[in-house]
Each structure stands twice: as C-alpha cells, then as structure tokens.
C-alpha cells in the first residue's frame, strides 16, 4: 500500500483544540436542554392514550386545544401529524375509563365544535407499567452497548482507542438527544432504535479510522503521533465521505417521503450520521492523542524463541 507523504495530508489535528471546545460546549448545551426542557417521551414510555383524527380542512390547533381544555381534557397534547388536516391528541392515563370510550368522548367534543365531519383514525393505549419497563430496558440497552464496545475496542486495539471510541459514542448520543429536547420532537421506540443504529454507525467509522492509525503507526517510521493520525484520517477520508453521503441520501428520502410514523427515526439517524462522522475524526482520534497514544503502544512485542541466542553465537 502506498503511504502518503506528510506534506500531502490534511492537518486535522491542528484544529483538535477548537473541535474539543466546540464538542464540550455542545455537550453541555445538550445536558442543559435535557434538564430544562426534557425529552418529549411518547406513549411507549409514559403510558396513556393516543388518538388520531382527521379533518376535512386544515385543523386549527389553538381552537382544538381550547375546546378540549373547556371540556375537562386540560392535559391534552395536540399536534399535527403528517398533514395540516391530521392531528394526534395525547392524553395521560385515566384508570377509570377505557381508551375506546375516551376516544369517543374526545371525538364527540370535537364534533360539537364544528359542522365539518371528523374521522377517527386510530386509538392506542399503553399502560404506565409497560412504559416504565420500556424506559428502563431502553436505557440498559444503550448502557450495555457502550460497555461491550469499550471492552471490544480495548481488546482489539488499545485502551486509549477504547476510551476515545466510547467518548465519541457518548458525544453522538448526547447531541442527538439534545436535538430532540431542543425541537420538542416525540421520543418513542423508533427513535430509540435510531439511537442504537447511530451507535453502530459511529462505531464502524471509528473502527475503520483506528485500524488505519494502528497500521500506519507500525509502517511509518518518521513523524510524531499527530502526523501519523493525520495521514490515517486523510487516507480514510474518501471512504468516510462516500459512506456518509450515500447513507444521508437514503435517510433524506425517508425523512421527506417516509411519512410521520418514521419522521423521528429518520431525524435521529440524519443528525446521528452527521455527528458520527465528525466524532470519528475530531473526538475519538483527538481523545486517543490527548491520552498519549504512541508507536510503542501499538507495535507488537517481539518474542524471542528459545535457543535463538545460542544459534546467533554459533559460527
């Protein structure tokens, strides 16, 4: 394999301090958003009733909220769903009434406020205990994934790369969650699946870069760790861009044409692929460099065979 000369490389690591400050700022902002605004958990996690209705004309959300509030549904959350004529209404769990009866009551209240026909599309109900169980299992799934990744990368490469990979994954997940808190998008099981997919995508990018860094540390004799990392990132840059662009094209189609049901899923993956590409360059590699990765850490030890010294002494 032809090795690039130092003068032909992109000096990624020259901007690592600025990238680190930017990443820390974004992570602090994400934590602040998650603390103040919190995630807009869907019924999968909170429990309750979701009612989807369709209008003949564009729905007036302000009027609908006022009508529901005046008729005893103060906790109703009303949102557009796919088009201006379709809305979803989320209600907290009510123990004294079934979901179907609750849906009929809401439909009757809305029908009384207009002379236009209103169609009931669907009614979904999730119990509170199921929602709590899903929340716990979802959190454990992400935590287990991060721990397994830490162990694998530490065993496969080196502990500095392992820490860099986990920090990059934590960075990607946190920023994606912060985006959902900022925009108030619903966080349901499909979004959780997208978060786990982002972890896998980001890890794949990081593994490719780490493998090339290890290979170049063993091949390139001149240049310090930063130069070797720059060479490795430059060599994998075309692969990273091609993979990211083709993935983003598919996700863009899902985002614009996939409908409201997978809108959150596509949003999480679109943003996750973008930050995952960034973190594989400026988070994982920069953390490994900051921890003092060097050639000595990646060059395998030479094990002398028994009797080799005696053979060298023989004429």
């Amino acid at each position: 394999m032809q090795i690039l000369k130092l003068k032909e490389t992109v000096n990624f690591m020259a901007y690592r301090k600025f990238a680190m400050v930017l990443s820390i700022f974004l992570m602090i902002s994400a934590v602040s958003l998650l603390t103040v605004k919190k995630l807009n958990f869907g019924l999968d996690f909170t429990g309750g009733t979701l009612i989807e209705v369709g209008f003949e004309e564009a729905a007036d959300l302000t009027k609908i909220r006022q009508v529901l509030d005046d008729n005893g549904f103060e906790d109703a959350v009303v949102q557009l769903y796919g088009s201006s004529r379709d809305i979803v209404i989320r209600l907290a769990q009510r123990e004294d009434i079934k979901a179907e009866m609750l849906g009929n009551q809401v439909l009757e209240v809305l029908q009384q406020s207009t002379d236009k026909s209103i169609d009931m599309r669907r009614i979904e109900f999730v119990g509170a205990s199921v929602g709590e169980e899903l929340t716990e299992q979802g959190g454990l799934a992400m935590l287990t994934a991060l721990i397994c990744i830490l162990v694998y990368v530490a065993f496969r490469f080196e502990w500095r790369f392992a820490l860099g990979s986990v920090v990059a994954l934590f960075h990607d997940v946190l920023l994606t969650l912060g985006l959902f808190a900022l925009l108030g998008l619903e966080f349901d099981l499909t979004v959780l699946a997208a978060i786990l997919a982002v972890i896998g995508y980001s890890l794949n990018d990081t593994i490719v870069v780490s493998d090339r860094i290890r290979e170049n540390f063993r091949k390139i004799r001149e240049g310090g760790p930063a130069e070797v990392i720059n060479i490795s990132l430059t060599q994998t840059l075309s692969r990273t861009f091609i993979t990211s662009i083709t993935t983003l094209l598919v996700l863009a189609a899902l985002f614009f044409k996939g409908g409201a049901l997978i809108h959150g899923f596509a949003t999480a993956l679109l943003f996750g692929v973008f930050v995952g590409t960034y973190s594989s360059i400026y988070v994982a590699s920069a953390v490994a460099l900051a921890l003092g990765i060097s050639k000595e850490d990646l060059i395998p030890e030479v094990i002398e065979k028994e009797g080799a010294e005696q053979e060298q002494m023989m004429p």
Side-chain angles (χ1 to χ4, degrees):
M1 183 185 66
Q2 184 179 2
I3 299 175
L4 296 177
K5 297 180 181 179
L6 296 182
K7 64 179 181 180
E8 298 174 345
T9 64
V10 179
N11 193 2
F12 290 101
M13 291 298 101
Y15 306 101
R16 67 181 183 275
K17 293 183 180 179
F18 170 78
M20 196 65 68
V21 171
L22 176 63
S23 295
I24 292 173
F25 171 75
L26 292 176
M27 292 173 70
I28 293 175
S29 299
V31 171
S32 301
L33 287 168
L34 292 170
T35 303
V36 177
K37 295 191 65 174
K38 301 183 185 300
L39 288 173
N40 179 23
F41 285 109
L43 294 182
D44 297 329
F45 299 104
T46 62
T49 304
L50 181 144
I51 305 165
E52 180 185 350
V53 296
F55 291 80
E56 290 183 352
E57 300 177 350
D60 186 345
L61 296 186
T62 303
K63 180 180 178 181
I64 293 172
R65 293 189 184 102
Q66 187 61 48
V67 169
L68 294 174
D69 186 69
D70 294 340
N71 287 272
F73 299 102
E74 297 86 357
D75 60 340
V77 178
V78 183
Q79 295 175 320
L80 292 176
Y81 190 77
S83 71
S84 60
R85 295 183 298 174
D86 299 322
I87 66 169
V88 290
I89 302 169
R90 295 187 300 162
L91 298 169
Q93 186 176 9
R94 287 168 167 78
E95 297 181 357
D96 57 341
I97 186 171
K98 294 183 179 180
E100 185 177 357
M101 187 178 298
L102 182 63
N104 292 332
Q105 289 181 1
V106 171
L107 183 63
E108 183 180 354
V109 167
L110 294 177
Q111 191 67 70
Q112 291 175 356
S113 65
T114 180
D115 56 353
K116 304 293 184 181
S117 64
I118 302 176
D119 298 326
M120 175 71 71
R121 300 290 172 81
R122 64 184 170 113
I123 301 176
E124 295 180 2
F125 173 77
V126 178
S129 60
V130 176
E132 293 176 0
E133 183 179 353
L134 287 173
T135 304
E136 181 181 352
Q137 290 179 348
L140 287 176
M142 284 194 289
L143 182 62
T144 302
L146 292 176
I147 293 175
C148 291
I149 289 167
L150 177 65
V151 174
Y152 167 75
V153 180
F155 176 78
R156 182 69 175 81
F157 294 97
E158 211 267 343
W159 68 269
R160 294 173 180 84
F161 282 124
L163 285 181
S165 300
V166 171
V167 170
L169 295 179
F170 181 76
H171 166 275
D172 300 342
V173 171
L174 187 59
L175 293 192
T176 305
L177 294 177
L179 176 70
F180 272 73
L182 175 65
L183 301 179
L185 299 175
E186 183 176 343
F187 189 91
D188 55 18
L189 283 179
T190 62
V191 178
L192 176 61
I195 295 291
L196 294 175
V198 168
I199 291 176
Y201 180 89
S202 179
L203 176 65
N204 180 62
D205 253 7
T206 304
I207 291 297
V208 170
V209 172
S210 299
D211 186 62
R212 185 57 61 90
I213 292 174
R214 181 182 61 175
E215 181 181 353
N216 283 338
F217 263 126
R218 295 174 177 176
K219 287 186 174 182
I220 299 176
R221 298 303 179 186
E222 58 183 30
E227 288 79 6
V228 174
I229 291 176
N230 284 331
I231 292 173
S232 304
L233 291 172
T234 303
Q235 290 174 339
T236 57
L237 189 61
S238 60
R239 176 262 171 204
T240 299
F241 277 158
I242 291 172
T243 304
S244 299
I245 290 173
T246 52
T247 305
L248 289 173
L249 288 175
V250 175
L251 293 175
L254 289 177
F255 181 82
F256 291 107
K257 298 295 184 180
L261 282 175
I262 61 172
H263 183 75
F265 175 84
T267 302
L269 277 177
L270 270 173
F271 185 74
V273 168
F274 175 76
V275 297
T277 302
Y278 161 81
S279 67
S280 65
I281 297 175
Y282 278 115
V283 178
S285 301
V287 168
L289 182 61
L291 292 174
I293 192 72
S294 63
K295 296 180 181 179
E296 290 74 18
D297 299 318
L298 297 174
I299 295 177
E301 296 181 0
V302 178
I303 301 176
E304 295 184 0
K305 295 181 180 181
E306 185 177 353
E309 181 179 349
Q310 295 175 346
E311 292 179 1
Q312 293 178 356
M313 296 177 61
M314 293 178 61

